Amino acid sequence: MSRRVSLSAAASVSAVVTLLCGAPESIAQSTDDKAKAHRLDQIVVSANRREQSIDDVQASIDVIDQEKLQRYSGASLIEALRDAVGVDARSSGSSSDVTIRGQIPNAGSSVLILVDGLPRTAKFGVDNLNLISVENVERIEVVRGPMSALYGANAAGGVINIITKSPEGTGGSIRTTVGTSASDDGDGRETFNTGATAHFSAGQFSHKISVDTRHARPFAFDDDIDDSLNGNAHLGFAYQGRWEITETDQLDLRLEGYDQDDRHTGVSAGQTYTRTEKETRLFGALTYSGNVGPGFLTIEGSRGHTDGSANRSITVEKTDYTQTIAQGRYFLDFDNTAAGSHSVLTGGGIARDEIDINIYSRTGERDDTHFFIQDEWVPLDWLSIVGGVRVDHFSDFGTHAVPRLTIGSRGDGLSWRIGYGQAYRAPSVIEQYSQFVRGRFLIRGNENVEAEESTSYEAALGWSGDRGRIEAVYHHSDIENLIESVTTSERTSDGLGVIEYQNISEAVIQGIELSGEYLLSDEVSIGGSYEFLDAEDGDGKRLEDRARHAFKVSGTYESGPWSATVRGRTALGYYAPDPNIRGSAPFTSEYSTVDLNGRYRLNDDLSFSIGVDNIFDKQVPVNYSSNGSVEDPAGRFVYATMRFAF
């Protein structure tokens, strides 16, 4: 199996308006050649857990590559994910939240986030993309739609797989960013970020070292001390070593460490306190991959540990989380059979999670044993049929088997796809074992809560050619056993009301995604996306915390060493209550923001860029976040970046 990575510009069916103009002479190409090379280089691994051309993948997938990542400030990966089709990505600087296609759980996640195919631990068992080293990332693959048949629990909305840079060859890069808030409504957020990656090879051995730091002062609005962003102090380190045992066999060792120490002044019940978000995360993984018999074998084991704490109110909430994984998969390719070709992937493994949160009623322990098989059958050169099933057995809530079936066309030109899949979301430790006070309520977990289950359908029609692509997707999901927080009739001895997590509801989430891009010339390309979402519970009541309409566009102009990128996002009909008023009725709001980035390439190695995020200094509506936190950046933010490659 070849080992390739995508080096092209962001070319998925996502909303991208990329105005690529006048490349330097050394890399100048005709418009058609650029588009063709761009598409041929689009190799993805997440949709079927193996390398494939993006044109042959039977899934809705978005690729955010290195070139596109460099057109952001580099504060976090959330910046780029905000522009991906179907994705709602938010960041407070200290924590993050990512959902796909309106699959928003009450507590936990319906989007599986992986780094090189493996999960990471985090405070409260909830992923935090702000704690991923940006400079170590090669590209991000976003797969929309149910993926539990390949990845198991918590992939009902989709999968985000962060692919890091290869250790092979000799070279590296250094990136430094300075910035500050330029908002008329607040001040602070002076920022200094630095990231560096170096890789080198000697004989059969390759090494890569990556370091990433982020320092940002707190941001506070002029009128409210607690409606603010924490100061950030982040330090990340990563090492990857590779031993090329033979031409087809290799052994990879990954070691990572990340430290977060975020602080700011907060107010709770009229009392001032130091608000903190702290986390120390360690991770190690060993992976063998190579030809064994007639197929290709991958075996990997990993162990991650998080020691974290947060006092989002006066009480300090501590997390001790350890995750251990051992898994493998085997790929067989049967070409030129009487009925076409078959690509069979089968695998299995075990995982153990142990999470202890001091304010919860007990330690969460979960063992998961899984097995899956998937076959991609290509009976004709232009037709592909993908079918598979995965079975998981969990020690705390039983066995789940989920199938997947997709039929669609291959290659460029006119394309179509129809798909069916089942998925589920495992109850989070918060939903099972939580026991903490918020305001005048005791929030309590439920050990008997069951997994949310969903059945999804998808239909897509598109066109792709030498200069671009366009696609329309309809998606529909029926969700059962929806977990919600329910206000009970109970009262504690000190008069607190009781809220408990229960399986009480059903939901239907459906929508349309229209997206595309087109290269007009060597200097200009255009693109964009529109998303419509209709989400209701079993009684026909609209689900909260979702926008009805979303528009995302971006564009890049490049002429010789100069380039400029503009991005715009609009959310209309966002439906949610004011989180500061418990029991308030939901209402609709809207939010738009525009970002600008300009870059000058002094030569092939050195570039400088300046940018303004949220040019018009817009503030998110009061109902935009269920926990009342603000977006980072909270208003207009200006920055300058230097990047040196060697």
Side-chain angles (χ1 to χ4, degrees):
M1 175 178 287
S2 63
R3 310 180 191 281
R4 294 181 288 174
V5 296
S6 169
L7 302 177
S8 59
S12 69
V13 283
S14 76
V16 180
V17 184
T18 314
L19 306 161
L20 295 172
C21 313
E25 234 178 80
S26 61
I27 57 172
Q29 293 175 291
S30 71
T31 302
D32 287 356
D33 288 343
K34 280 184 180 180
K36 289 176 181 177
H38 169 76
R39 292 174 58 74
L40 288 172
D41 282 344
Q42 286 286 314
I43 302 299
V44 296
V45 299
S46 304
N48 290 311
R49 299 187 76 165
R50 62 183 181 87
E51 291 185 349
Q52 284 183 287
S53 166
I54 194 169
D55 283 332
D56 296 334
V57 171
Q58 297 300 327
S60 297
I61 188 165
D62 198 2
V63 179
I64 306 169
D65 72 356
Q66 182 62 209
E67 175 65 21
K68 186 175 182 182
L69 288 171
Q70 290 182 27
R71 299 187 184 278
Y72 295 87
S73 73
S76 78
L77 298 180
I78 291 294
E79 293 179 306
L81 287 168
R82 285 174 176 145
D83 294 320
V85 178
V87 176
D88 184 359
R90 308 185 193 183
S91 170
S92 67
S94 294
S95 59
S96 68
D97 181 57
V98 180
T99 60
I100 296 178
R101 289 182 171 174
Q103 297 265 3
I104 303 175
N106 197 296
S109 178
S110 290
V111 177
L112 182 63
I113 296 177
L114 307 171
V115 180
D116 292 322
L118 290 167
R120 300 297 189 264
T121 55
K123 286 193 303 292
F124 306 111
V126 179
D127 295 301
N128 187 356
L129 283 170
N130 287 316
L131 306 189
I132 301 294
S133 297
V134 175
E135 192 61 20
N136 192 31
V137 175
E138 177 63 29
R139 69 184 187 273
I140 307 171
E141 299 180 2
V142 182
V143 185
R144 309 189 303 277
M147 294 299 293
S148 289
L150 269 182
Y151 290 98
N154 304 335
V159 173
I160 296 175
N161 193 8
I162 300 159
I163 310 298
T164 61
K165 296 176 180 177
S166 169
E168 296 180 2
T170 299
S173 62
I174 300 172
R175 171 190 48 81
T176 298
T177 299
V178 294
T180 186
S181 170
S183 175
D184 295 332
D185 300 315
D187 60 280
R189 217 51 177 171
E190 292 84 358
T191 298
F192 181 78
N193 300 334
T194 300
T197 298
H199 55 96
F200 58 93
S201 299
Q204 295 175 281
F205 297 93
S206 301
H207 306 272
K208 178 191 66 179
I209 297 174
S210 179
V211 178
D212 205 84
T213 68
R214 185 186 186 207
H215 294 275
R217 295 187 64 186
F219 174 90
F221 287 107
D222 296 334
D223 58 352
D224 191 338
I225 189 173
D226 203 36
D227 190 12
S228 56
L229 298 172
N230 290 339
N232 300 140
H234 297 182
L235 173 62
F237 170 83
Y239 166 80
Q240 182 180 355
R242 176 171 294 171
W243 175 24
E244 295 280 354
I245 305 169
T246 68
E247 291 184 358
T248 60
D249 298 74
Q250 67 184 36
L251 193 66
D252 284 88
L253 173 66
R254 291 179 173 85
L255 301 173
E256 296 174 10
Y258 205 98
D259 185 76
Q260 173 192 32
D261 188 2
D262 297 351
R263 301 168 181 261
H264 194 30
T265 300
V267 175
S268 179
Q271 182 178 352
T272 301
Y273 70 101
T274 300
R275 191 172 66 196
T276 62
E277 294 273 347
K278 298 182 179 182
E279 181 170 336
T280 298
R281 186 186 72 231
L282 299 174
F283 175 83
L286 188 64
T287 303
Y288 164 81
S289 57
N291 290 337
V292 175
F296 191 84
L297 176 67
T298 301
I299 299 176
E300 52 197 357
S302 69
R303 186 175 178 86
H305 179 261
T306 282
D307 183 7
S309 65
N311 62 333
R312 297 169 184 176
S313 60
I314 298 297
T315 303
V316 177
E317 303 166 3
K318 297 181 180 180
T319 300
D320 188 295
Y321 181 16
T322 301
Q323 183 181 69
T324 306
I325 296 174
Q327 61 186 22
R329 52 193 178 272
Y330 192 62
F331 174 72
L332 282 167
D333 220 346
F334 300 98
D335 291 324
N336 303 319
T337 67
S341 66
H342 289 266
S343 299
V344 179
L345 182 69
T346 185
I350 56 174
R352 178 169 177 80
D353 291 87
E354 299 174 80
I355 181 167
D356 183 18
I357 301 176
N358 65 316
I359 61 171
Y360 290 1
S361 61
R362 53 162 285 189
T363 298
E365 297 181 354
R366 175 175 295 163
D367 295 310
D368 172 24
T369 304
H370 76 270
F371 171 81
F372 72 87
I373 185 169
Q374 176 178 281
D375 177 30
E376 181 176 6
W377 174 33
V378 182
L380 302 168
D381 289 340
W382 56 269
L383 181 65
S384 173
I385 302 172
V386 179
V389 64
R390 171 165 167 151
V391 179
D392 286 76
H393 178 73
F394 294 89
S395 57
D396 54 347
F397 64 92
T399 301
H400 286 260
V402 287
R404 174 193 180 202
L405 178 64
T406 303
I407 304 172
S409 60
R410 290 164 47 91
D412 56 11
L414 184 66
S415 62
W416 56 272
R417 180 179 71 254
I418 56 174
Y420 160 84
Q422 293 183 4
Y424 62 99
R425 184 180 73 83
S428 70
V429 66
I430 296 174
E431 292 161 334
Q432 289 180 302
Y433 309 122
S434 62
Q435 187 161 328
F436 56 93
V437 175
R438 288 288 186 269
R440 297 297 300 166
F441 288 85
L442 171 70
I443 300 177
R444 184 176 68 195
N446 180 356
E447 294 187 23
N448 298 317
V449 72
E450 299 177 0
E452 290 183 354
E453 300 176 344
S454 65
T455 300
S456 299
Y457 309 89
E458 181 180 279
L461 182 66
W463 171 89
S464 61
D466 290 339
R467 297 193 175 203
R469 63 173 66 189
I470 187 169
E471 186 176 55
V473 180
Y474 169 74
H475 60 89
H476 179 105
S477 296
D478 296 312
I479 304 172
E480 298 180 351
N481 291 333
L482 192 67
I483 303 173
E484 293 190 352
S485 54
V486 178
T487 302
T488 70
S489 59
E490 297 180 54
R491 308 288 293 187
T492 65
S493 58
D494 50 359
L496 296 177
V498 176
I499 296 175
E500 184 179 73
Y501 292 104
Q502 299 177 7
N503 296 103
I504 66 163
S505 182
E506 297 178 350
V508 176
I509 299 176
Q510 58 185 336
I512 296 172
E513 298 163 345
L514 304 176
S515 59
E517 60 181 358
Y518 190 74
L519 287 167
L520 292 177
S521 67
D522 284 346
E523 298 173 345
V524 179
S525 74
I526 58 173
S529 75
Y530 163 71
E531 303 157 23
F532 168 79
L533 188 69
D534 179 33
E536 298 179 346
D537 64 15
D539 296 325
K541 180 182 177 182
R542 186 175 173 186
L543 296 179
E544 299 174 3
D545 300 316
R546 296 159 175 87
R548 179 77 79 187
H549 309 275
F551 299 86
K552 302 174 183 179
V553 295
S554 70
T556 302
Y557 175 83
E558 188 172 342
S559 179
W562 297 94
S563 66
T565 299
V566 61
R567 296 180 295 269
R569 297 182 301 275
T570 295
L572 301 177
Y574 188 84
Y575 186 70
D578 183 343
N580 301 300
I581 305 174
R582 184 173 293 276
S584 64
F587 59 94
T588 59
S589 61
E590 61 184 50
Y591 176 63
S592 298
T593 184
V594 177
D595 306 332
L596 179 65
N597 174 279
R599 181 169 60 173
Y600 175 75
R601 291 183 178 179
L602 187 64
N603 52 47
D604 288 342
D605 300 325
L606 183 61
S607 66
F608 300 90
S609 64
I610 58 174
V612 183
D613 290 341
N614 197 351
I615 294 173
F616 300 109
D617 199 22
K618 298 293 185 179
Q619 309 303 327
V620 296
V622 68
N623 68 338
Y624 195 67
S625 174
S626 59
N627 58 15
S629 64
V630 295
E631 281 284 276
D632 188 14
R636 187 186 300 114
F637 181 80
V638 297
Y639 63 89
T641 299
M642 181 198 74
R643 190 173 190 276
F644 177 69
F646 57 90

